[in-house]
Amino acid sequence: MHVARLCGPLTMFLNVLTGFSVKVPWPMQLMFNEEAIAKYNSLFSFLLRVNRLQYGLHRVWADNMRRIKRNRVADKTSTNARLLSLRARMSFLVDNLQYYLQVDVLDAQYALFTDAIDRCRDFDAITQAHDHFLTTLLTQVRIAREILCNIFCCYRVTPYTRVGLLFR
């Protein structure tokens, strides 16, 4: 079964949204070929999904706060308390994952990439540095994706979307 059918129309829209295509002028098309663009699509698609999950978790908190403010009393049932505790833990994990991806993966690899470009003497060396940059990024992101699949595959965020399916 196709993942987009399981995740619903919003995820299909996000898949279409992140599948960018560009016309790259010569000689840059030697570096930004179809394989490189497919790697960027995979990377940006995952980052957008993490951001969507983070937004959804923060929105659950905001909706709950509005409900409490409107009713002027907190729902102290054990089920609601457990759900809010679960949301807080998931949010903590996703917030830290997003920080890790932005700072420890993207920024660090970009700094290494720009240093490698500064040391390059020809276009082939720059292309090789770019390929290494993309491969390293995707490897580190793939590890994060597998961790999220293992953690979130059994939790439901909305009635229509399983969180684990967002990362497969």
Side-chain angles (χ1 to χ4, degrees):
M1 185 176 268
H2 194 269
V3 173
R5 249 188 319 191
L6 294 172
C7 295
L10 183 58
T11 302
M12 282 192 327
F13 172 73
L14 291 173
N15 288 339
V16 169
L17 182 68
T18 58
F20 72 92
S21 62
V22 294
K23 289 191 177 195
V24 182
W26 194 88
M28 294 306 291
Q29 61 189 245
L30 298 172
M31 186 182 320
F32 296 104
N33 54 24
E34 288 182 22
E35 181 183 345
I37 291 175
K39 288 179 180 180
Y40 277 114
N41 278 338
S42 175
L43 175 68
F44 291 138
S45 176
F46 177 71
L47 293 174
L48 184 60
R49 288 174 176 166
V50 170
N51 194 4
R52 178 177 169 225
L53 178 59
Q54 183 183 35
Y55 173 76
L57 290 168
H58 288 288
R59 191 167 153 207
V60 167
W61 176 83
D63 290 345
N64 190 56
M65 291 298 109
R66 277 193 293 275
R67 186 175 50 79
I68 289 173
K69 189 174 185 179
R70 183 181 51 227
N71 295 341
R72 292 195 175 104
V73 65
D75 185 3
K76 297 189 188 240
T77 63
S78 62
T79 304
N80 191 47
R82 284 188 304 200
L83 287 174
L84 290 176
S85 176
L86 175 62
R87 189 227 50 95
R89 290 178 181 147
M90 290 171 68
S91 185
F92 177 79
L93 177 69
V94 172
D95 289 347
N96 283 292
L97 175 70
Q98 181 135 11
Y99 181 83
Y100 163 76
L101 290 170
Q102 288 177 344
V103 175
D104 295 339
V105 175
L106 292 173
D107 289 348
Q109 290 303 315
Y110 181 74
L112 292 172
F113 176 54
T114 56
D115 289 344
I117 287 178
D118 290 341
R119 291 189 306 269
C120 291
R121 299 287 181 217
D122 62 356
F123 188 76
D124 289 335
I126 292 173
T127 303
Q128 189 175 23
H130 181 251
D131 288 340
H132 178 71
F133 166 71
L134 276 178
T135 303
T136 305
L137 277 180
L138 287 175
T139 301
Q140 292 181 3
V141 165
R142 191 171 298 122
I143 292 168
R145 179 181 290 171
E146 289 172 5
I147 290 170
L148 281 179
C149 281
N150 291 335
I151 292 172
F152 287 134
C153 68
C154 60
Y155 295 116
R156 294 179 66 80
V157 173
T158 69
Y160 307 105
T161 307
R162 284 184 52 140
V163 178
L165 294 175
L166 294 173
F167 302 105
R168 292 191 178 161

